[in-house]
Amino acid sequence: MRAMMARLIAFFLLLTFAASPIAAQIDPSARGLAVQAQALAIGRDARIATVIADSRGDAVYIDPAQYALNMRSALVWAKQLSGGRFSIGPTFGKSGDRTDQMMARMPQALATRAGLLYIIAGVNDLAQNYPTATTSGATAAGNIIAMAEMGRLAGIKVILEAEVGANGLTAAQVSQMNELNIRLADYVEGTPNVYLNDARSAVMNPTAGATTVTFKPGFSLDGTHEVSRGSYYHALTLLPLINQIVPPRSVLTRTGTELPGNGRWQLLANPIFATATGGTLSGTATGTVPSGWTAFGSAGTTATFGTQADPEGVGNNVTVTCQWVAAGDSCRLFQTVGSANWLPGDIVQAVTQIQITAASPCLAATRLELVTVGTLNGSATGFNYMDGYTATTTGSLGADQPYTATLMTRPFTVPAYTAKSYMAAYVHLEGSCAGTASFVIRQMPIRRRLSAPNG
């Protein structure tokens, strides 16, 4: 009955869209895609997101296989800052694409199980003066609206990003950018389940001038793409919208019973640090480490570890004060999974929550990493899944204020190894210059899942 109702509603929306003024503005091929969207109007969950975008959406993942979530994406930051309200599945960003070129990937986005579609687009239409210098804004808006309608007809909630622009746009291109944003704002105002986020005041310099746009200092390396710090402040504008659209969910461990011996649903020993002492110090690390865990500081780094009671009574927390002396320095906490606790075919996901209690302008990233290595097709083969990757070179600036982030690797299926080598989970606290920051790591489980809905 619910599926039938969804199809009836989608059919009504399709008729409404076909007769609307918006439909008259877009390419005829988009109407064909809208028919496909209507056919996909099934039950969807906004806690699974996909992306249609240019290079700024391509930056959600750092790798073509889409194993490593990248901190140069406001959407990734919003996921972490929201307490893990949603996961990011396959994304469809492509460097250099205009909005008309993105349209061809909409069927792939619609075919995912995503219930949240994030569209960040337009700057390439403006920079390329497509199709002309005086129509690029209206054209980009029409294409973005068409894609939003396809998502809406398929039962997806849609978030559009207002175009922030790029350093070096001409006065005429800035004018077209303004038209693009006004058209998007007008469209969203009367359209259910489509939302507009406007991060311009958060990431762009408000005193750049009347006919130019530039990023705030330290927010972009090249004048078009945000570094982690720019994406963090961008995400702060996106977060209230995410919290409005996506309901909270439970992703953290709430009990001391989630241990490998109790059904192998959680694979690490001492995931909530209930046994606060007895761990191992490595490299330059000093202090106290929970049982089963290893603390590490890279050469030259002062890495001081300790434990404290969890404020909610769920075991203990690990405290870390990390003083970096150069770009690329790091403090780490990690554990290797017992060999009997993981098997080929397991669907696994690492989770942690980290509080930055004393920030530093030199913090590059807090990164969660899950690694598996074994023999596959006769060769040693490893896979690295990450949430929170960023470059740690000079200039790769992260957030410079305290925050709490929930990190989750993308669920994946352990390959059919003929011989297992190891599985391990790591938290990396990484710097991009000389500085000091303090952290609290609340817990760090590896969950075994029954499915990978965002895979």
Side-chain angles (χ1 to χ4, degrees):
M1 178 63 71
R2 292 178 62 187
M4 181 176 292
M5 286 299 297
R7 291 186 177 93
L8 288 172
I9 292 168
F11 181 68
F12 173 76
L13 290 173
L14 180 64
L15 291 177
T16 303
F17 173 60
S20 71
I22 293 169
Q25 299 173 16
I26 63 174
D27 191 284
S29 63
R31 297 192 188 98
L33 291 174
V35 174
Q36 296 179 39
Q38 183 269 333
L40 291 167
I42 57 177
R44 294 182 182 266
D45 190 345
R47 289 170 291 195
I48 304 171
T50 189
V51 176
I52 284 286
D54 47 37
S55 56
R56 296 169 297 179
D58 191 33
V60 167
Y61 291 100
I62 197 66
D63 59 315
Q66 300 193 348
Y67 293 165
L69 290 158
N70 182 16
M71 297 317 297
R72 293 183 178 181
S73 164
L75 188 66
V76 175
W77 268 112
K79 178 185 73 70
Q80 293 186 3
L81 296 174
S82 72
R85 286 181 182 237
F86 67 99
S87 300
I88 303 173
T91 61
F92 305 95
K94 185 176 180 182
S95 179
D97 260 15
R98 301 183 308 265
T99 55
D100 62 306
Q101 295 167 315
M102 296 173 197
M103 197 90 70
R105 295 193 299 280
M106 276 299 296
Q108 295 171 272
L110 296 175
T112 69
R113 292 182 58 183
L116 183 65
L117 172 63
Y118 181 73
I119 301 177
I120 179 168
V123 72
N124 290 320
D125 298 64
L126 304 176
Q128 297 174 32
N129 297 314
Y130 178 84
T132 70
T134 58
T135 60
S136 59
T139 301
N143 289 332
I144 292 170
I145 290 168
M147 290 186 283
E149 286 294 305
M150 293 174 212
R152 196 166 70 91
L153 290 172
I156 301 175
K157 296 181 187 294
V158 182
I159 295 178
L160 308 179
E161 282 284 0
E163 181 53 67
V164 302
N167 297 3
L169 291 182
T170 66
Q173 290 167 340
V174 169
S175 177
Q176 290 299 305
M177 180 187 73
N178 292 339
E179 179 173 351
L180 163 60
N181 287 329
I182 288 294
R183 287 177 178 269
L184 293 182
D186 281 357
Y187 159 68
V188 166
E189 188 170 330
T191 307
N193 295 321
V194 183
Y195 309 87
L196 181 67
N197 184 60
D198 192 340
R200 285 177 290 177
S201 63
V203 300
M204 306 307 284
N205 189 340
T207 61
T211 59
T212 59
V213 291
T214 60
F215 278 91
K216 291 180 178 179
F219 281 28
S220 174
L221 280 178
D222 61 4
T224 301
H225 304 92
E226 295 165 351
V227 296
S228 180
R229 182 171 299 173
S231 292
Y232 168 77
Y233 282 96
H234 188 148
L236 292 183
T237 70
L238 183 59
L239 186 60
L241 189 55
I242 291 291
N243 290 342
Q244 172 189 337
I245 297 170
V246 185
R249 61 178 179 173
S250 177
V251 297
L252 298 176
T253 294
R254 298 297 184 186
T255 171
T257 66
E258 292 189 17
L259 297 170
N262 293 335
R264 217 171 52 81
W265 295 107
Q266 192 288 126
L267 306 184
L268 288 175
N270 200 23
I272 59 173
F273 315 128
T275 305
T277 62
T280 302
L281 296 169
S282 179
T284 62
T286 61
T288 302
V289 186
S291 175
W293 294 88
T294 298
F296 171 82
S298 60
T301 301
T302 301
T304 306
F305 288 77
T307 58
Q308 64 184 27
D310 181 79
E312 296 180 7
V314 184
N316 296 293
N317 300 161
V318 174
T319 61
V320 189
T321 299
C322 196
Q323 182 176 352
W324 312 287
V325 296
D329 286 350
S330 71
C331 302
R332 300 175 207 157
L333 183 70
F334 64 93
Q335 183 183 141
T336 300
V337 181
S339 180
N341 295 340
W342 65 284
L343 298 170
D346 284 348
I347 301 172
V348 293
Q349 179 181 37
V351 181
T352 191
Q353 188 174 86
I354 303 174
Q355 295 173 287
I356 287 71
T357 54
S360 167
C362 292
L363 172 62
T366 57
R367 175 165 56 99
L368 176 64
E369 182 178 23
L370 180 57
V371 179
T372 64
V373 179
T375 302
L376 194 63
N377 299 320
S379 301
T381 305
F383 295 89
N384 297 62
Y385 282 76
M386 290 181 270
D387 186 3
Y389 176 87
T390 193
T392 56
T393 53
T394 301
S396 296
L397 305 175
D400 57 354
Q401 60 181 222
Y403 65 90
T404 299
T406 302
L407 285 69
M408 306 178 295
T409 59
R410 189 173 174 187
F412 77 101
T413 303
V414 177
Y417 291 129
T418 54
K420 299 184 296 183
S421 295
Y422 69 92
M423 175 186 288
Y426 302 80
V427 162
H428 305 263
L429 310 172
E430 300 172 309
S432 61
C433 56
T436 303
S438 297
F439 309 85
V440 174
I441 304 171
R442 290 198 60 193
Q443 58 179 254
M444 194 171 164
I446 296 178
R447 294 270 175 76
R448 182 169 68 89
R449 301 183 52 148
L450 294 174
S451 63
N454 64 334

PDB file of all heavy atoms in Angstrom, residues 264-287:
ATOM      1  N   ARG A 264      30.216 -11.498  18.291  1.00  0.00           N
ATOM      2  CA  ARG A 264      31.111 -10.941  17.260  1.00  0.00           C
ATOM      3  C   ARG A 264      30.444  -9.816  16.461  1.00  0.00           C
ATOM      4  O   ARG A 264      30.711  -9.613  15.283  1.00  0.00           O
ATOM      5  CB  ARG A 264      31.592 -12.070  16.331  1.00  0.00           C
ATOM      6  CG  ARG A 264      33.018 -11.934  15.870  1.00  0.00           C
ATOM      7  CD  ARG A 264      33.525 -13.154  15.141  1.00  0.00           C
ATOM      8  NE  ARG A 264      32.660 -13.557  14.070  1.00  0.00           N
ATOM      9  CZ  ARG A 264      32.636 -13.004  12.835  1.00  0.00           C
ATOM     10  NH1 ARG A 264      33.457 -12.019  12.555  1.00  0.00           N
ATOM     11  NH2 ARG A 264      31.803 -13.441  11.920  1.00  0.00           N
ATOM     12  N   TRP A 265      29.585  -9.029  17.134  1.00  0.00           N
ATOM     13  CA  TRP A 265      28.972  -7.880  16.464  1.00  0.00           C
ATOM     14  C   TRP A 265      29.837  -6.638  16.592  1.00  0.00           C
ATOM     15  O   TRP A 265      29.642  -5.654  15.876  1.00  0.00           O
ATOM     16  CB  TRP A 265      27.577  -7.620  17.025  1.00  0.00           C
ATOM     17  CG  TRP A 265      26.648  -8.742  16.726  1.00  0.00           C
ATOM     18  CD1 TRP A 265      26.163  -9.672  17.598  1.00  0.00           C
ATOM     19  CD2 TRP A 265      26.134  -9.097  15.443  1.00  0.00           C
ATOM     20  NE1 TRP A 265      25.365 -10.576  16.943  1.00  0.00           N
ATOM     21  CE2 TRP A 265      25.325 -10.247  15.613  1.00  0.00           C
ATOM     22  CE3 TRP A 265      26.263  -8.562  14.171  1.00  0.00           C
ATOM     23  CZ2 TRP A 265      24.656 -10.864  14.567  1.00  0.00           C
ATOM     24  CZ3 TRP A 265      25.596  -9.170  13.124  1.00  0.00           C
ATOM     25  CH2 TRP A 265      24.804 -10.300  13.314  1.00  0.00           C
ATOM     26  N   GLN A 266      30.753  -6.657  17.508  1.00  0.00           N
ATOM     27  CA  GLN A 266      31.756  -5.599  17.670  1.00  0.00           C
ATOM     28  C   GLN A 266      33.091  -6.318  17.825  1.00  0.00           C
ATOM     29  O   GLN A 266      33.200  -7.265  18.598  1.00  0.00           O
ATOM     30  CB  GLN A 266      31.432  -4.725  18.893  1.00  0.00           C
ATOM     31  CG  GLN A 266      32.228  -3.437  18.978  1.00  0.00           C
ATOM     32  CD  GLN A 266      33.685  -3.681  19.347  1.00  0.00           C
ATOM     33  OE1 GLN A 266      34.589  -3.235  18.653  1.00  0.00           O
ATOM     34  NE2 GLN A 266      33.918  -4.397  20.443  1.00  0.00           N
ATOM     35  N   LEU A 267      34.118  -5.894  17.082  1.00  0.00           N
ATOM     36  CA  LEU A 267      35.299  -6.735  16.881  1.00  0.00           C
ATOM     37  C   LEU A 267      36.514  -6.360  17.712  1.00  0.00           C
ATOM     38  O   LEU A 267      37.460  -7.148  17.804  1.00  0.00           O
ATOM     39  CB  LEU A 267      35.682  -6.724  15.389  1.00  0.00           C
ATOM     40  CG  LEU A 267      34.567  -7.106  14.406  1.00  0.00           C
ATOM     41  CD1 LEU A 267      35.121  -7.143  12.982  1.00  0.00           C
ATOM     42  CD2 LEU A 267      33.928  -8.436  14.771  1.00  0.00           C
ATOM     43  N   LEU A 268      36.557  -5.183  18.317  1.00  0.00           N
ATOM     44  CA  LEU A 268      37.738  -4.757  19.064  1.00  0.00           C
ATOM     45  C   LEU A 268      37.613  -5.092  20.541  1.00  0.00           C
ATOM     46  O   LEU A 268      36.520  -5.090  21.113  1.00  0.00           O
ATOM     47  CB  LEU A 268      37.955  -3.249  18.911  1.00  0.00           C
ATOM     48  CG  LEU A 268      38.447  -2.769  17.552  1.00  0.00           C
ATOM     49  CD1 LEU A 268      38.491  -1.250  17.512  1.00  0.00           C
ATOM     50  CD2 LEU A 268      39.825  -3.345  17.228  1.00  0.00           C
ATOM     51  N   ALA A 269      38.753  -5.338  21.182  1.00  0.00           N
ATOM     52  CA  ALA A 269      38.789  -5.493  22.627  1.00  0.00           C
ATOM     53  C   ALA A 269      38.762  -4.109  23.283  1.00  0.00           C
ATOM     54  O   ALA A 269      39.364  -3.161  22.776  1.00  0.00           O
ATOM     55  CB  ALA A 269      40.059  -6.243  23.044  1.00  0.00           C
ATOM     56  N   ASN A 270      37.994  -3.982  24.376  1.00  0.00           N
ATOM     57  CA  ASN A 270      37.983  -2.752  25.166  1.00  0.00           C
ATOM     58  C   ASN A 270      37.629  -1.514  24.337  1.00  0.00           C
ATOM     59  O   ASN A 270      38.305  -0.484  24.395  1.00  0.00           O
ATOM     60  CB  ASN A 270      39.357  -2.566  25.838  1.00  0.00           C
ATOM     61  CG  ASN A 270      39.320  -1.631  27.031  1.00  0.00           C
ATOM     62  OD1 ASN A 270      38.275  -1.427  27.654  1.00  0.00           O
ATOM     63  ND2 ASN A 270      40.462  -1.055  27.351  1.00  0.00           N
ATOM     64  N   PRO A 271      36.525  -1.550  23.571  1.00  0.00           N
ATOM     65  CA  PRO A 271      36.216  -0.434  22.668  1.00  0.00           C
ATOM     66  C   PRO A 271      35.798   0.845  23.387  1.00  0.00           C
ATOM     67  O   PRO A 271      35.923   1.929  22.820  1.00  0.00           O
ATOM     68  CB  PRO A 271      35.065  -0.977  21.818  1.00  0.00           C
ATOM     69  CG  PRO A 271      34.392  -1.981  22.698  1.00  0.00           C
ATOM     70  CD  PRO A 271      35.514  -2.621  23.468  1.00  0.00           C
ATOM     71  N   ILE A 272      35.260   0.724  24.613  1.00  0.00           N
ATOM     72  CA  ILE A 272      34.866   1.925  25.358  1.00  0.00           C
ATOM     73  C   ILE A 272      35.892   2.255  26.444  1.00  0.00           C
ATOM     74  O   ILE A 272      35.614   3.045  27.338  1.00  0.00           O
ATOM     75  CB  ILE A 272      33.451   1.776  25.970  1.00  0.00           C
ATOM     76  CG1 ILE A 272      33.387   0.581  26.920  1.00  0.00           C
ATOM     77  CG2 ILE A 272      32.409   1.652  24.857  1.00  0.00           C
ATOM     78  CD1 ILE A 272      32.071   0.483  27.687  1.00  0.00           C
ATOM     79  N   PHE A 273      37.082   1.626  26.354  1.00  0.00           N
ATOM     80  CA  PHE A 273      38.202   1.917  27.259  1.00  0.00           C
ATOM     81  C   PHE A 273      37.817   1.660  28.719  1.00  0.00           C
ATOM     82  O   PHE A 273      38.259   2.374  29.632  1.00  0.00           O
ATOM     83  CB  PHE A 273      38.691   3.354  27.078  1.00  0.00           C
ATOM     84  CG  PHE A 273      38.838   3.789  25.642  1.00  0.00           C
ATOM     85  CD1 PHE A 273      38.258   4.964  25.173  1.00  0.00           C
ATOM     86  CD2 PHE A 273      39.538   3.012  24.726  1.00  0.00           C
ATOM     87  CE1 PHE A 273      38.391   5.372  23.853  1.00  0.00           C
ATOM     88  CE2 PHE A 273      39.683   3.396  23.401  1.00  0.00           C
ATOM     89  CZ  PHE A 273      39.095   4.579  22.957  1.00  0.00           C
ATOM     90  N   ALA A 274      36.986   0.639  28.937  1.00  0.00           N
ATOM     91  CA  ALA A 274      36.517   0.333  30.291  1.00  0.00           C
ATOM     92  C   ALA A 274      37.681  -0.028  31.212  1.00  0.00           C
ATOM     93  O   ALA A 274      37.687   0.343  32.394  1.00  0.00           O
ATOM     94  CB  ALA A 274      35.506  -0.812  30.244  1.00  0.00           C
ATOM     95  N   THR A 275      38.657  -0.753  30.672  1.00  0.00           N
ATOM     96  CA  THR A 275      39.895  -1.014  31.404  1.00  0.00           C
ATOM     97  C   THR A 275      40.868   0.090  31.037  1.00  0.00           C
ATOM     98  O   THR A 275      41.413   0.118  29.931  1.00  0.00           O
ATOM     99  CB  THR A 275      40.470  -2.394  31.060  1.00  0.00           C
ATOM    100  OG1 THR A 275      39.469  -3.391  31.298  1.00  0.00           O
ATOM    101  CG2 THR A 275      41.704  -2.688  31.890  1.00  0.00           C
ATOM    102  N   ALA A 276      41.070   1.019  31.976  1.00  0.00           N
ATOM    103  CA  ALA A 276      41.704   2.294  31.630  1.00  0.00           C
ATOM    104  C   ALA A 276      43.223   2.241  31.547  1.00  0.00           C
ATOM    105  O   ALA A 276      43.849   3.197  31.072  1.00  0.00           O
ATOM    106  CB  ALA A 276      41.292   3.358  32.648  1.00  0.00           C
ATOM    107  N   THR A 277      43.834   1.175  31.997  1.00  0.00           N
ATOM    108  CA  THR A 277      45.295   1.091  31.994  1.00  0.00           C
ATOM    109  C   THR A 277      45.730  -0.225  31.367  1.00  0.00           C
ATOM    110  O   THR A 277      44.907  -1.119  31.121  1.00  0.00           O
ATOM    111  CB  THR A 277      45.850   1.196  33.420  1.00  0.00           C
ATOM    112  OG1 THR A 277      45.346   0.077  34.191  1.00  0.00           O
ATOM    113  CG2 THR A 277      45.444   2.499  34.082  1.00  0.00           C
ATOM    114  N   GLY A 278      47.048  -0.345  31.128  1.00  0.00           N
ATOM    115  CA  GLY A 278      47.593  -1.605  30.639  1.00  0.00           C
ATOM    116  C   GLY A 278      47.921  -1.620  29.165  1.00  0.00           C
ATOM    117  O   GLY A 278      48.391  -2.635  28.644  1.00  0.00           O
ATOM    118  N   GLY A 279      47.688  -0.494  28.466  1.00  0.00           N
ATOM    119  CA  GLY A 279      48.014  -0.418  27.046  1.00  0.00           C
ATOM    120  C   GLY A 279      49.497  -0.193  26.799  1.00  0.00           C
ATOM    121  O   GLY A 279      50.318  -0.180  27.720  1.00  0.00           O
ATOM    122  N   THR A 280      49.849   0.027  25.544  1.00  0.00           N
ATOM    123  CA  THR A 280      51.245   0.098  25.116  1.00  0.00           C
ATOM    124  C   THR A 280      51.596   1.497  24.635  1.00  0.00           C
ATOM    125  O   THR A 280      50.816   2.119  23.896  1.00  0.00           O
ATOM    126  CB  THR A 280      51.491  -0.914  23.971  1.00  0.00           C
ATOM    127  OG1 THR A 280      51.157  -2.221  24.429  1.00  0.00           O
ATOM    128  CG2 THR A 280      52.949  -0.887  23.524  1.00  0.00           C
ATOM    129  N   LEU A 281      52.775   1.990  25.025  1.00  0.00           N
ATOM    130  CA  LEU A 281      53.308   3.259  24.531  1.00  0.00           C
ATOM    131  C   LEU A 281      54.327   2.984  23.441  1.00  0.00           C
ATOM    132  O   LEU A 281      55.170   2.083  23.566  1.00  0.00           O
ATOM    133  CB  LEU A 281      53.953   4.044  25.674  1.00  0.00           C
ATOM    134  CG  LEU A 281      53.020   4.492  26.806  1.00  0.00           C
ATOM    135  CD1 LEU A 281      53.813   5.010  27.999  1.00  0.00           C
ATOM    136  CD2 LEU A 281      52.062   5.568  26.303  1.00  0.00           C
ATOM    137  N   SER A 282      54.268   3.779  22.363  1.00  0.00           N
ATOM    138  CA  SER A 282      55.158   3.574  21.227  1.00  0.00           C
ATOM    139  C   SER A 282      55.622   4.923  20.699  1.00  0.00           C
ATOM    140  O   SER A 282      54.931   5.931  20.851  1.00  0.00           O
ATOM    141  CB  SER A 282      54.425   2.801  20.129  1.00  0.00           C
ATOM    142  OG  SER A 282      55.232   2.595  18.992  1.00  0.00           O
ATOM    143  N   GLY A 283      56.788   4.939  20.048  1.00  0.00           N
ATOM    144  CA  GLY A 283      57.319   6.199  19.527  1.00  0.00           C
ATOM    145  C   GLY A 283      57.581   7.165  20.666  1.00  0.00           C
ATOM    146  O   GLY A 283      58.196   6.811  21.676  1.00  0.00           O
ATOM    147  N   THR A 284      57.100   8.386  20.535  1.00  0.00           N
ATOM    148  CA  THR A 284      57.334   9.414  21.553  1.00  0.00           C
ATOM    149  C   THR A 284      56.190   9.517  22.557  1.00  0.00           C
ATOM    150  O   THR A 284      56.167  10.430  23.390  1.00  0.00           O
ATOM    151  CB  THR A 284      57.522  10.788  20.883  1.00  0.00           C
ATOM    152  OG1 THR A 284      56.313  11.135  20.187  1.00  0.00           O
ATOM    153  CG2 THR A 284      58.689  10.775  19.906  1.00  0.00           C
ATOM    154  N   ALA A 285      55.224   8.591  22.517  1.00  0.00           N
ATOM    155  CA  ALA A 285      54.063   8.666  23.393  1.00  0.00           C
ATOM    156  C   ALA A 285      54.439   8.429  24.845  1.00  0.00           C
ATOM    157  O   ALA A 285      55.271   7.561  25.158  1.00  0.00           O
ATOM    158  CB  ALA A 285      53.012   7.654  22.960  1.00  0.00           C
ATOM    159  N   THR A 286      53.794   9.186  25.744  1.00  0.00           N
ATOM    160  CA  THR A 286      53.961   9.003  27.181  1.00  0.00           C
ATOM    161  C   THR A 286      52.584   9.006  27.838  1.00  0.00           C
ATOM    162  O   THR A 286      51.588   9.415  27.234  1.00  0.00           O
ATOM    163  CB  THR A 286      54.809  10.138  27.791  1.00  0.00           C
ATOM    164  OG1 THR A 286      54.129  11.393  27.571  1.00  0.00           O
ATOM    165  CG2 THR A 286      56.188  10.213  27.164  1.00  0.00           C
ATOM    166  N   GLY A 287      52.528   8.537  29.104  1.00  0.00           N
ATOM    167  CA  GLY A 287      51.277   8.598  29.846  1.00  0.00           C
ATOM    168  C   GLY A 287      50.636   7.244  30.032  1.00  0.00           C
ATOM    169  O   GLY A 287      51.318   6.217  30.128  1.00  0.00           O
TER     170      GLY A 287
END
